[in-house]
Amino acid sequence: MPFLCGPSTYKNDISHSPKDIQRLDALCHNDSAVDPVVGLGKMIEIDDVGHLELTGVTDDGSKVMSVVQNKRNVAQKSLDPYLTWKIPETWSLEDAATVPLAYATAYHGMVQAADLSSCESVLVNAGHTTIGQAAIALALQIGSTVFTTVAESDHKDFLIKRFPQV
């Protein structure tokens, strides 16, 4: 799973006017956040899941990742420029589809709402989850001291390998 790394002052390089994805060479979405009743035989319908992460190629050839509402004909709607980012050249569309929602959630909570700084400590609950990993990566990038909780020893081993500084 890829992680965003870079300066905490990252400025989105997508212009702040709506982007249309009218032609998609590829469209990938991350379906990891599914309704738990799906396992009970219920099919996910349009609007059942609040948001989707998707990747695609815009008309101008830019590879982008975005967070969108789960609506019919997602590809024909304008993408929110504040929730759309260019995909690094080395990432596949499939890998990039796993990043936007976790990082947007972690960034909003830690940077925008809490104004986390390098002189603070942060406790990330369930650090092995996608949002937990994003929160750890952002907090470390900011320079904060990070503590995390895990449910199982294999989660601990994974996090120690992924984030040796924790």
Side-chain angles (χ1 to χ4, degrees):
M1 174 180 287
F3 292 87
L4 294 177
C5 297
S8 58
T9 57
Y10 174 76
K11 183 176 183 302
N12 193 341
D13 57 359
I14 299 290
S15 67
H16 292 289
S17 59
K19 280 242 186 243
D20 290 330
I21 293 186
Q22 302 204 2
R23 175 191 57 80
L24 290 172
D25 292 333
L27 174 65
C28 303
H29 66 79
N30 179 12
D31 59 0
S32 65
V34 296
D35 191 326
V37 297
V38 171
L40 302 174
K42 180 183 183 291
M43 297 298 293
I44 291 180
E45 300 291 333
I46 300 298
D47 295 327
D48 279 356
V49 179
H51 293 87
L52 297 174
E53 300 166 291
L54 67 77
T55 58
V57 181
T58 62
D59 280 339
D60 66 6
S62 298
K63 288 178 16 179
V64 295
M65 57 186 167
S66 188
V67 176
V68 297
Q69 287 188 331
N70 183 23
K71 300 287 185 191
R72 201 172 309 279
N73 299 322
V74 167
Q76 296 174 3
K77 303 293 181 190
S78 294
L79 298 177
D80 182 333
Y82 291 97
L83 294 174
T84 303
W85 302 270
K86 286 188 179 178
I87 298 173
E89 292 293 323
T90 57
W91 291 9
S92 70
L93 291 173
E94 293 81 8
D95 287 342
T98 67
V99 174
L101 193 55
Y103 274 85
T105 301
Y107 184 84
H108 172 70
M110 295 172 59
V111 176
Q112 293 176 318
D115 196 24
L116 184 66
S117 71
S118 63
C119 62
E120 295 178 297
S121 296
V122 62
L123 172 63
V124 177
N125 188 40
H128 64 283
T129 64
T130 56
I131 294 173
Q133 291 176 59
I136 291 169
L138 286 171
L140 291 173
Q141 180 64 39
I142 290 168
S144 300
T145 302
V146 178
F147 300 93
T148 188
T149 64
V150 294
E152 300 178 17
S153 62
D154 60 330
H155 297 162
K156 177 183 173 184
D157 296 340
F158 169 76
L159 288 175
I160 289 171
K161 183 177 179 182
R162 173 70 184 98
F163 302 104
Q165 59 275 56
V166 172

